[in-house]
Amino acid sequence: MAETFPVKPKLRPTSGKSTPTAESKYWKSFKIPKDIETTPSKSLNYPITSLSFSPVAPHDFAATHSASFTVFSGKTLEPKFTVKDFSDAAASASFRCDGRLLAAGDLTGTVHVFDAKSRNHLRRLKGHSAAARVVCYPRAADKFHLFSGGDDSVVKYWDVAAEKCVLNLQGHKDYVRCGDASPVSDDMFVSGSYDHKVRVWDVRVSSAVSVAELNHEKPVESVIYLPSGGLIATAGGNFVKIWDVIGGGKLLYSMESHNKTVTALCMGKVGRVSGDEAEQNRILSVSLDGYMKVFDYAKFKITYTMRFPQPLFSVGFSPDSLTRVIGTSKGNLYIGRRKGKVESEDLGDPVGLGAVEDEPQRRVLRPSYFRYFHRGQNVKPSEGDYLIKRPKKVKLAEYDKLLKKFRHKEALVAVLSGKNPENVVAVMEELISRKKLLKCVSNLDTDELGLLLGFLQKYSTMPRYAGLLTRLVNKVVELRAEDIRSSDQLRGHIRNLKRDVEEEIRIQQSLLEIQGIISPMLRIAARR
Amino acid sequence: MITGGKSFVASPPAFSNDAKRLLVCTGNTVSVFSTSTGLQISELEGHGAQVTSVIVVPASSPASKLMCYCWTASLDGKIKYWDFAAPELMTTIDIGSPIHSMVIPSLLSQSTESNGKLPDLFAYIYTEDVKQKEEKKNCLCGQIQKCNLTKSRIVGGVTFAKTRRPGSITSSPSGKYIGTYEKRKLRIWEIPEKDSEHVGYKKIRLHHTKSFTALAFHPTERVVAAGDVTGRILIWRGVGHKTCLNDGKLINGGINKDAEDKPGVRDDDDADSCTTWHWHSSQVNVLFFSSDGAYLYSGGREGVLVVWQLDTGKKKFLPRMGSPLLYFVNSPDPSLSSISRADNQIQLLRMPSMEILRSISGIKPPSSHMEIYEGFGSGVVFNHTSGLLAVPTENYRVQFYNLFDDREISEVQIYERNHQPGDEITVKVNLVALSPDGSTMSTVETRLPEEGIGSLVSLKFWACGAQNKHFSLSTVIYEPHGEGGISSIAFRPTSHMAVSSSYSGDFKVWVRRHDISMDDQTVENGGWRCHAVGSYKKKPMTAAAFSGDGSVLAVAAEKVITLWDPDRNTLLAVIGDSLEPITTLSFVGRSEYLVSASRGSDPHLTIWSMSKLSVACSVDKSTFAVLALIKPSKHMESTEDSLHSAEGVIMLFNVENPVPLSTWFVSKAQGGGLSFVRSSPKLEDEVTERKASDEVLAYINGAHEYVLMSPYGEQASNFSFSRQRNFSSLEEKERFGYASIYGELPEFSLKIDQTPFPSMSSEKTWKTIFSGPSHSLPPLPKLCSDFLESLLERRSALVEMRGRGAEHVPLVKMESWYRCACESVLMIQQLLVEGPFPFTFDGKHYSGI
């Protein structure tokens, strides 16, 4: 006995892009949280010049805009407070490694240090003769120093507690606009300048000369250390370059996929929620062309691209890889949050409480339990088991069953009262191959004919079905002219149908006109 | 020379006495198949024409169940007696005129009182009087005669009936009646108990208003069932009652002939009553009573086997067989029967549940509607390298057939639709193309429009899996050339490229692309996409071919041949200007010669030299139906010349010479195919140094019978190859003594084996005997013996006895046997309570348990 084949609609071509990769799914999963979507406060009206996350949970983040900066809660993503103690536009906010202090520069050249909790203005570090665009705390453990860079092309290393400049590092010949501290060493940091150069500094070297110099060949907008501390990514112009610092400042790769100046870089991570499957690092770059790109620097490949409607200025990615924030030139913040466990504040139960209780003893199942009758049904096959698959059951829809019984008209009506036009067309095609479609049409009663005409009106001008349905419309009108005339409702259907067909004819004519315009051009182009 | 592709279903098959073999008439031979594996075991060769009936001599006693003798009758006018186990011929009886059907009722009736000597064996044969047929067109040339098989002569003077056309004779299972049908008449003869040369026969006639197509006798009662062309089944009860009574003792002249007395019986037919069942919508081909007479099996063109409960008329179905049913034959084993389908397939059924156990399939016959639609080629495609044949079948499949083994390899469902054999064909797989390496298949299916709406042509590409050699769908292209039909598909020999040419005036070049996924694994998801489109003056493209090295694509645009560069899609040259549209194009092997053929009123075969772009030679013939030719290294090509009488000629040409080298005459050439096939498919590596003798010419005719022959005929004496018929032997050896009861002793080693035994469930026959509802079980007397036999079945020694000594084995065996027997006694008791049938049971034998 041969199997039954249910009626299937024609296959549709899938789009060139195959199924989304795991990575693009991951990046798409950063969604705007529903509950704060409507909050107007996220539009800050001024360009967001920098974004930085606190290194400790719950990973608050600070955004600088105009003459102030705003700290957002990492939990609720709501703005916590705004500090406006600046006399000019604020530039670069940076959290200390324990997240307690926050430093920011302003365009007068002063570096301000705040308490991240109480908002107290603790220190003012004055020394830059022009705007201090870069302020950065060391990232490893050093709590007493920070460095800053300014438009006076000097990089300064500060003792915060004493409000004293420890080192004046000179070497840049233009504005210093970006910098980053090494993730592994407290003494190493890097700064990028508009003189196309990136310099690596080591404060242990007292000569105040940079230990390495890299030529980016474009004004450097952003520079970051990659997590190993041996690689540096620099952005400037419309490309991002990756350098091997330890290997003598060798250029590893130049990513040129942005169309406009890349404004900011940050590190992102890809991995499972639990983080068990080796998290992989990515570079997130944003640009004035409104694109955010995710770059896999292990394979030197762009793995994800996302477009925003505005030029992008800054980007931040939380260390727990749950939140992604992008700031734009118009002051909008695009906050994306992934679903996942927010790290709980307290780390589990107090350990001292003693032995954890054993699992409850498995009780012997007796036929008095309902579970007895389900025993063994959920057993997962182990590695070496030979699996015998249950033959797949063919799912038959209502119309399939009717077609099997050769009740053709009922099948047509059943599928027409369904929603899916593809199935309707498939059933019609099956009826055609049984040479029964026109017989069915002539047997329909008035209500069913109305159903059919409604369907035809809706879909007969759709290009995918038009080849079959327009001819069918002709036949239907021809066959059932009497019935249509006698019923008001059917006349209404026919009126609508006529309108749609006329509309379609108009479209076709205008398309033909366009084709007429284009074809001579194509011919000329082909001749060359 | 090898022939093959014979029809398995030209006449009903027969089971051997142990139901382990099935004897099938295949052309001039009888093939013996194993019912457990479905493979051919042996072949009885000897008849000079088609074998029309095969009758196995039934076993008279259980001891003689191993007897393997059969009678065969053939159109060459001979009756032969065979021992098909050996297989060897025992006797031949020459009748002289073609035998269309034969029955031997005395074999079935088992005349027991054979005091000393056996009675003569009589066969009833339906012969065709060839002489009379030649003299007059409209004469009674078919006649039923009686033949004394023991004395091997026709019994003179006994001619039962003369008919226009020889038909078939049916005998009742008890051997008491034989019958035949002609048009609207049934004729039944009662065979007397003691058959001899001169006895009188009682004759019964039954009439109906429609032509009969099938006839069956009830095994025990006087019930006759007949089917007609409209699908009705008529059942007469009490047939011949009156005749017997009249003949027997007293004539009750007073018994009235009231119409009420005989409901449904026409006029003065000799029957008590007649009932009509009408379920089939078209003619009934199969009618068969179950061995106990409680059920009637019927089948017809719809491909549905219907089981009627005779008393109530209730029905059970085995639907969607996919092809008209022709014969239903049951075996001595009540749980096995076979059904023959018109698509050259015999299926073995497990009986009460009617599930298909195994299929024995030959090459699929051409579609019956083939001729109706012009332009639908026969579509039979040869694969040059592997000796394969791809045949599109009626139920939207493509069958792959091995020419050398004469065996089906696989089937692929091309279009997923349920085929109703009775309906007219509206969807058809009309083109199949195989790439030279056999890894890709391309098919075209066409749906015909209903009054101008809904026609569809779809082109499909199939990829062959590396391991399982099964084709899976890779790409579907709906309406590749708009509304136009596809005239041909050709694969490029060197790369993944194909071309399809269309009657609507363009051709498309398709290439396969490889998808490389992100994770560096090459996905075998390479779909096919259009690489280029070409057309020449909007002329319909009728044929396409790639040259042997794949550098040139030749497309026939009606009357001219256009040559293209397939990679850059540029027109290289236009050659030729024939008078008739070109129908076939082909390159001669790897040489530079191109052959084009055109048919019609002035058919031509033209050979073009690619290097000179000129006509190398031109052949003129009266009519042409050109087929194929691939012939590497030797400049050869051949054509087939089919006359209107469907008689054809195969000619072998040298490329430089318009005079054919050799010629063969063939019949039924319409819709046939021709190709060179490499004779040793295994030696695929030695492509470079191939000798010409490696190539054989394969020809398939319109009825899908094929011939493989050497293209040099007798001249090349070194050419010799025999078919490697690897008959599979009957896989079971007979075992004796202890082993025959309990199976082989397991091999025991004294050290404890750590690996567990495979826990196969040893199938107990008594579980399967009783499967199915009780009303559809075979009768209890039949069941009982089988059941008891199964208690003594050979257990395949899988009782787990890890780490025990061998001396315990028999004890354990006895225990399990005992338990088994106890269970069965309980079961029999239940059956005794419920069973509606008379029941005899030898209780003594098991009373000790």
Side-chain angles (χ1 to χ4, degrees):
Chain A
M1 178 167 40
E3 66 269 62
T4 27
F5 296 109
V7 171
K8 266 187 239 155
K10 275 187 201 171
L11 300 175
R12 289 165 66 175
T14 48
S15 61
K17 269 178 205 159
S18 52
T19 51
T21 58
E23 176 132 358
S24 70
K25 266 188 208 156
Y26 174 83
W27 289 110
K28 264 184 201 153
S29 67
F30 286 94
K31 287 184 185 131
I32 303 165
K34 286 258 165 59
D35 43 340
I36 62 157
E37 200 168 8
T38 50
T39 335
S41 61
K42 277 203 305 312
S43 181
L44 301 169
N45 295 328
Y46 292 97
I48 291 154
T49 47
S50 81
L51 280 168
S52 74
F53 273 89
S54 160
V56 296
H59 305 297
D60 294 347
F61 61 93
T64 56
H65 54 98
S66 70
S68 56
F69 70 83
T70 306
V71 175
F72 290 80
S73 158
K75 246 189 204 164
T76 61
L77 306 179
E78 295 286 339
K80 265 174 147 176
F81 56 86
T82 304
V83 176
K84 294 182 176 167
D85 286 3
F86 296 94
S87 44
D88 205 339
S92 160
S94 172
F95 280 96
R96 203 168 72 172
C97 58
D98 58 357
R100 290 240 179 107
L101 296 187
L102 184 68
D106 69 12
L107 293 200
T108 61
T110 316
V111 176
H112 306 264
V113 180
F114 299 92
D115 190 320
K117 225 167 209 173
S118 64
R119 296 179 249 171
N120 287 337
H121 201 145
L122 301 176
R123 294 285 187 277
R124 282 187 180 80
L125 311 175
K126 291 188 182 173
H128 282 292
S129 56
R133 297 275 191 173
V134 190
V135 175
C136 197
Y137 265 107
R139 288 207 283 187
D142 187 0
K143 294 180 181 172
F144 308 113
H145 299 91
L146 62 78
F147 74 91
S148 66
D151 283 0
D152 54 359
S153 71
V154 182
V155 177
K156 286 176 186 282
Y157 188 67
W158 301 88
D159 183 342
V160 179
E163 285 189 321
K164 203 175 76 186
C165 181
V166 181
L167 282 171
N168 269 324
L169 305 167
Q170 286 172 332
H172 284 299
K173 297 189 177 66
D174 206 336
Y175 301 161
V176 178
R177 283 292 167 93
C178 54
D180 193 18
S182 164
V184 289
S185 159
D186 281 334
D187 305 322
M188 303 276 293
F189 54 91
V190 63
S191 65
S193 154
Y194 274 16
D195 62 356
H196 302 188
K197 296 287 189 324
V198 173
R199 287 176 191 272
V200 183
W201 310 93
D202 189 343
V203 289
R204 291 165 294 191
V205 182
S206 54
S207 61
V209 180
S210 62
V211 290
E213 181 189 310
L214 312 168
N215 188 359
H216 185 73
E217 293 171 340
K218 273 283 157 100
V220 184
E221 295 286 350
S222 181
V223 56
I224 53 166
Y225 265 106
L226 302 187
S228 64
L231 299 181
I232 288 176
T234 59
N238 54 0
F239 48 85
V240 176
K241 285 185 171 176
I242 294 173
W243 309 84
D244 183 358
V245 185
I246 295 171
K250 199 171 56 175
L251 176 64
L252 292 181
Y253 190 77
S254 174
M255 174 195 101
E256 299 175 34
S257 60
H258 284 288
N259 295 324
K260 287 185 183 170
T261 307
V262 182
T263 47
L265 297 174
C266 84
M267 289 307 303
K269 277 185 213 154
V270 167
R272 291 288 143 84
V273 182
S274 51
D276 50 6
E277 184 174 326
E279 286 189 334
Q280 289 178 317
N281 292 304
R282 298 282 187 270
I283 298 171
L284 273 65
S285 61
V286 293
S287 150
L288 292 179
D289 58 5
Y291 280 98
M292 180 203 72
K293 302 217 177 211
V294 179
F295 182 73
D296 180 359
Y297 62 88
K299 289 176 185 154
F300 297 130
K301 220 155 72 178
I302 301 274
T303 54
Y304 185 68
T305 301
M306 194 170 179
R307 200 192 132 74
F308 291 89
Q310 289 163 4
L312 307 181
F313 262 30
S314 50
V315 61
F317 193 81
S318 75
D320 60 357
S321 57
L322 285 177
T323 318
R324 187 250 314 123
V325 187
I326 289 172
T328 71
S329 65
K330 301 255 173 71
N332 284 346
L333 269 183
Y334 290 100
I335 304 176
R337 161 147 283 191
R338 193 161 62 89
K339 269 189 198 145
K341 271 183 263 164
V342 182
E343 273 176 46
S344 51
E345 304 284 301
D346 46 348
L347 291 158
D349 307 289
V351 191
L353 270 184
V356 187
E357 246 183 64
D358 272 351
E359 276 185 46
Q361 280 272 268
R362 275 279 179 90
R363 265 190 270 178
V364 181
L365 288 172
R366 291 174 193 290
S368 54
Y369 293 110
F370 182 63
R371 274 203 298 152
Y372 173 84
F373 298 101
H374 283 279
R375 68 196 190 282
Q377 284 183 8
N378 298 323
V379 174
K380 293 272 181 329
S382 62
E383 190 78 3
D385 285 354
Y386 180 74
L387 280 179
I388 296 169
K389 290 219 178 73
R390 183 185 295 240
K392 216 175 172 188
K393 202 181 168 193
V394 183
K395 218 172 190 179
L396 290 181
E398 177 70 26
Y399 51 85
D400 279 323
K401 288 176 191 157
L402 290 167
L403 281 175
K404 250 175 85 178
K405 291 174 187 158
F406 303 94
R407 290 162 63 181
H408 298 129
K409 193 197 84 174
E410 281 98 324
L412 183 61
V413 173
V415 74
L416 276 173
S417 39
K419 286 278 179 288
N420 194 343
E422 286 186 347
N423 287 345
V424 179
V425 173
V427 167
M428 283 177 176
E429 284 175 344
E430 172 64 24
L431 288 175
I432 284 170
S433 44
R434 295 183 184 194
K435 301 223 167 191
K436 291 288 187 295
L437 181 62
L438 295 185
K439 194 147 207 181
C440 286
V441 167
S442 56
N443 285 343
L444 294 173
D445 63 26
T446 318
D447 288 348
E448 292 159 352
L449 191 60
L451 205 59
L452 176 66
L453 284 176
F455 172 81
L456 290 175
Q457 181 240 319
K458 227 174 177 177
Y459 294 106
S460 62
T461 51
M462 267 183 83
R464 250 188 321 135
Y465 313 124
L468 170 68
L469 293 186
T470 44
R471 288 175 199 183
L472 180 63
V473 168
N474 277 335
K475 286 277 172 193
V476 170
V477 173
E478 202 175 286
L479 280 173
R480 305 297 299 261
E482 290 297 311
D483 302 286
I484 291 167
R485 252 181 235 127
S486 61
S487 159
D488 278 344
Q489 201 196 349
L490 295 185
R491 273 212 301 268
H493 279 302
I494 290 290
R495 253 194 312 277
N496 292 344
L497 186 65
K498 210 171 161 187
R499 197 189 56 226
D500 280 7
V501 169
E502 277 161 5
E503 173 70 32
E504 180 67 23
I505 289 171
R506 265 199 301 282
I507 292 173
Q508 293 292 338
Q509 258 162 357
S510 56
L511 285 176
L512 278 176
E513 280 165 21
I514 294 169
Q515 196 183 6
I517 297 165
I518 291 174
S519 60
M521 293 191 221
L522 285 178
R523 196 149 284 190
I524 291 164
R527 219 171 275 161
R528 274 175 193 170
Chain B
M1 186 144 128
I2 295 177
T3 58
K6 299 293 183 209
S7 170
F8 290 176
V9 294
S11 40
F15 278 100
S16 68
N17 285 323
D18 52 359
K20 281 184 182 145
R21 299 184 180 94
L22 183 70
L23 282 75
V24 181
C25 304
T26 50
N28 298 354
T29 60
V30 174
S31 302
V32 183
F33 289 91
S34 157
T35 57
S36 49
T37 58
L39 299 175
Q40 190 172 1
I41 306 164
S42 61
E43 199 172 35
L44 312 180
E45 287 175 280
H47 278 293
Q50 196 188 336
V51 181
T52 50
S53 32
V54 53
I55 298 163
V56 175
V57 178
S60 48
S61 64
S64 62
K65 261 200 161 180
L66 295 172
M67 274 193 355
C68 297
Y69 299 106
C70 68
W71 291 94
T72 58
S74 156
L75 285 182
D76 62 356
K78 296 202 172 65
I79 298 173
K80 290 183 192 242
Y81 186 54
W82 308 81
D83 178 355
F84 59 83
E88 62 190 38
L89 180 61
M90 318 272 284
T91 330
T92 304
I93 301 165
D94 198 348
I95 300 297
S97 47
I99 305 166
H100 284 264
S101 179
M102 173 175 78
V103 289
I104 310 176
S106 44
L107 280 179
L108 304 162
S109 62
Q110 302 288 352
S111 47
T112 42
E113 62 269 86
S114 62
N115 34 10
K117 74 177 176 97
L118 284 162
D120 285 357
L121 203 56
F122 291 100
Y124 298 86
I125 52 178
Y126 215 138
T127 58
E128 185 179 11
D129 198 339
V130 189
K131 265 182 252 163
Q132 268 197 31
K133 192 185 177 185
E134 278 166 5
E135 285 162 12
K136 292 180 278 178
K137 275 267 160 18
N138 221 351
C139 69
L140 305 173
C141 55
Q143 51 187 338
I144 299 177
Q145 289 176 311
K146 188 175 178 182
C147 176
N148 189 334
L149 293 177
T150 319
K151 294 187 181 139
S152 31
R153 64 191 164 109
I154 288 206
V155 178
V158 186
T159 302
F160 289 88
K162 289 201 170 188
T163 54
R164 290 267 158 78
R165 240 165 15 88
S168 67
I169 321 178
T170 317
S171 85
S172 74
S174 58
K176 274 173 84 177
Y177 303 95
I178 59 167
T180 183
Y181 53 88
E182 191 203 17
K183 289 192 176 165
R184 287 166 281 185
K185 213 159 44 177
L186 284 187
R187 300 186 206 201
I188 298 164
W189 294 271
E190 186 173 354
I191 310 290
E193 199 85 347
K194 276 193 178 177
D195 206 358
S196 65
E197 295 203 0
H198 309 286
V199 286
Y201 292 93
K202 276 163 265 172
K203 196 154 110 181
I204 303 155
R205 284 179 188 226
L206 296 168
H207 297 84
H208 182 43
T209 52
K210 302 281 181 333
S211 295
F212 287 113
T213 52
L215 168 67
F217 289 97
H218 196 277
T220 49
E221 294 164 43
R222 291 167 180 275
V223 175
V224 174
D228 70 9
V229 283
T230 60
R232 289 183 177 84
I233 299 168
L234 291 92
I235 295 162
W236 285 275
R237 290 165 204 271
V239 173
H241 209 55
K242 196 176 60 181
T243 320
C244 292
L245 281 183
N246 283 352
D247 190 72
K249 297 149 218 165
L250 66 164
I251 303 159
N252 269 347
I255 288 182
N256 50 357
K257 289 185 178 178
D258 280 344
E260 284 87 346
D261 231 357
K262 305 197 292 181
V265 180
R266 304 191 74 78
D267 302 336
D268 49 352
D269 283 354
D270 185 14
D272 288 349
S273 68
C274 176
T275 47
T276 305
W277 288 336
H278 199 171
W279 183 88
H280 293 279
S281 61
S282 51
Q283 79 175 52
V284 181
N285 291 332
V286 178
L287 272 182
F288 196 87
F289 281 99
S290 65
S291 50
D292 60 345
Y295 298 94
L296 175 68
Y297 300 94
S298 72
R301 272 189 61 194
E302 308 90 351
V304 180
L305 183 66
V306 186
V307 187
W308 304 82
Q309 202 173 10
L310 203 58
D311 295 332
T312 60
K314 279 183 183 155
K315 299 181 288 284
K316 227 175 85 180
F317 304 99
L318 176 60
R320 290 187 292 282
M321 304 280 279
S323 187
L325 307 181
L326 293 180
Y327 312 107
F328 182 91
V329 174
N330 72 347
S331 72
D333 180 0
S335 66
L336 189 71
S337 54
S338 86
I339 189 143
S340 305
R341 300 172 10 174
D343 61 353
N344 209 357
Q345 195 163 17
I346 298 174
Q347 287 180 320
L348 301 171
L349 306 180
R350 183 200 295 283
M351 229 19 230
S353 52
M354 293 208 292
E355 65 185 281
I356 292 167
L357 288 175
R358 206 147 272 111
S359 295
I360 300 166
S361 50
I363 200 161
K364 294 281 188 262
S367 164
S368 49
H369 296 263
M370 191 78 76
E371 303 79 30
I372 300 172
Y373 306 110
E374 201 48 49
F376 280 16
S378 69
V380 178
V381 174
F382 294 88
N383 190 344
H384 169 62
T385 43
S386 55
L388 271 184
L389 189 65
V391 188
T393 67
E394 215 170 354
N395 51 355
Y396 324 120
R397 288 166 182 241
V398 167
Q399 181 193 34
F400 288 92
Y401 201 81
N402 192 327
L403 288 175
F404 295 100
D405 292 346
D406 198 3
R407 181 139 50 102
E408 178 192 82
I409 296 170
S410 60
E411 267 188 279
V412 184
Q413 183 87 35
I414 300 296
Y415 179 59
E416 293 204 338
R417 178 161 186 266
N418 293 315
H419 175 62
Q420 272 109 29
D423 293 358
E424 62 179 306
I425 290 185
T426 54
V427 180
K428 195 162 165 11
V429 179
N430 54 350
L431 267 180
V432 180
L434 282 170
S435 67
D437 56 351
S439 67
T440 318
M441 175 171 72
S442 165
T443 61
V444 175
E445 81 218 14
T446 309
R447 190 174 65 212
L448 299 170
E450 183 191 10
E451 301 201 15
I453 57 173
S455 68
L456 179 73
V457 177
S458 37
L459 172 67
K460 287 181 179 173
F461 286 97
W462 304 77
C464 185
Q467 283 96 36
N468 51 8
K469 293 278 170 200
H470 278 172
F471 280 97
S472 56
L473 185 59
S474 141
T475 311
V476 186
I477 301 139
Y478 297 109
E479 304 197 321
H481 295 278
E483 304 266 295
I486 295 178
S487 55
S488 72
I489 311 171
F491 278 96
R492 193 179 185 181
T494 46
S495 66
H496 292 296
M497 187 186 270
V499 62
S500 66
S501 63
S502 159
Y503 295 116
S504 64
D506 58 346
F507 69 90
K508 290 193 178 180
V509 178
W510 308 91
V511 290
R512 198 173 93 185
R513 57 153 194 250
H514 281 280
D515 281 352
I516 295 168
S517 78
M518 307 300 269
D519 304 291
D520 296 335
Q521 320 153 336
T522 41
V523 185
E524 269 305 309
N525 190 16
W528 290 75
R529 64 186 169 79
C530 187
H531 170 69
V533 186
S535 66
Y536 182 74
K537 292 183 179 174
K538 296 278 175 204
K539 282 182 181 167
M541 301 290 193
T542 48
F546 277 103
S547 68
D549 55 355
S551 61
V552 178
L553 167 66
V555 183
E558 212 168 15
K559 290 170 188 168
V560 295
I561 301 168
T562 54
L563 302 176
W564 303 77
D565 179 341
D567 291 314
R568 282 176 293 164
N569 197 36
T570 49
L571 182 64
L572 298 176
V574 179
I575 51 173
D577 201 1
S578 64
L579 297 166
E580 292 288 328
I582 294 163
T583 52
T584 312
L585 275 182
S586 188
F587 279 86
V588 180
R590 292 189 160 268
S591 68
E592 50 169 8
Y593 293 99
L594 172 70
V595 182
S596 72
S598 59
R599 68 176 107 197
S601 58
D602 186 19
H604 268 270
L605 184 71
T606 316
I607 300 159
W608 305 89
S609 168
M610 284 295 106
S611 53
K612 287 174 274 182
L613 291 182
S614 62
V615 181
C617 81
S618 181
V619 186
D620 250 312
K621 281 281 150 217
S622 57
T623 24
F624 261 164
V626 165
L627 303 163
L629 50 69
I630 350 167
K631 187 61 197 173
S633 71
K634 283 276 175 182
H635 298 309
M636 290 246 175
E637 86 37 63
S638 69
T639 77
E640 189 207 339
D641 176 7
S642 111
L643 304 169
H644 288 300
S645 62
E647 298 293 319
V649 180
I650 300 174
M651 294 182 192
L652 191 66
F653 288 97
N654 194 319
V655 166
E656 278 106 13
N657 193 353
V659 179
L661 291 177
S662 45
T663 312
W664 294 271
F665 289 91
V666 291
S667 60
K668 288 193 268 187
Q670 190 79 44
L674 199 58
S675 176
F676 282 96
V677 173
R678 203 185 297 166
S679 65
S680 46
K682 279 116 195 163
L683 305 173
E684 275 166 20
D685 306 329
E686 315 169 14
V687 187
T688 48
E689 279 304 308
R690 249 184 299 138
K691 282 191 280 182
S693 63
D694 267 359
E695 299 282 324
V696 289
L697 186 62
Y699 163 70
I700 184 160
N701 70 10
H704 287 188
E705 293 167 345
Y706 65 85
V707 176
L708 301 180
M709 53 194 167
S710 155
Y712 305 102
E714 280 71 45
Q715 295 141 5
S717 56
N718 60 341
F719 177 79
S720 63
F721 78 108
S722 59
R723 165 191 240 146
Q724 313 92 323
R725 291 226 79 156
N726 33 2
F727 290 136
S728 51
S729 58
L730 254 184
E731 72 298 331
E732 280 185 82
K733 288 183 292 182
E734 292 299 327
R735 288 183 284 196
F736 302 99
Y738 180 84
S740 70
I741 300 175
Y742 301 119
E744 298 286 351
L745 270 179
E747 298 280 330
F748 285 108
S749 58
L750 285 176
K751 58 176 187 242
I752 295 170
D753 198 354
Q754 292 298 330
T755 56
F757 275 66
S759 59
M760 289 192 325
S761 64
S762 66
E763 198 186 324
K764 295 191 177 67
T765 352
W766 52 271
K767 278 186 181 162
T768 53
I769 287 176
F770 296 110
S771 68
S774 65
H775 64 82
S776 61
L777 284 176
L780 274 187
K782 241 184 214 325
L783 270 181
C784 183
S785 61
D786 279 301
F787 170 60
L788 292 177
E789 241 173 66
S790 73
L791 294 182
L792 293 164
E793 78 192 295
R794 279 166 273 150
R795 323 277 319 262
S796 42
L798 279 168
V799 184
E800 276 207 319
M801 278 169 295
R802 235 181 302 165
R804 285 201 192 176
E807 65 272 15
H808 294 293
V809 176
L811 188 65
V812 177
K813 292 286 186 188
M814 284 308 287
E815 274 170 15
S816 69
W817 183 83
Y818 175 74
R819 199 168 50 242
C820 181
C822 285
E823 280 170 17
S824 63
V825 167
L826 281 176
M827 243 168 165
I828 290 166
Q829 279 170 354
Q830 276 181 354
L831 286 171
L832 273 171
V833 174
E834 293 168 4
F837 301 101
F839 184 78
T840 54
F841 176 58
D842 186 5
K844 266 183 234 156
H845 188 71
Y846 291 100
S847 58
I849 298 171

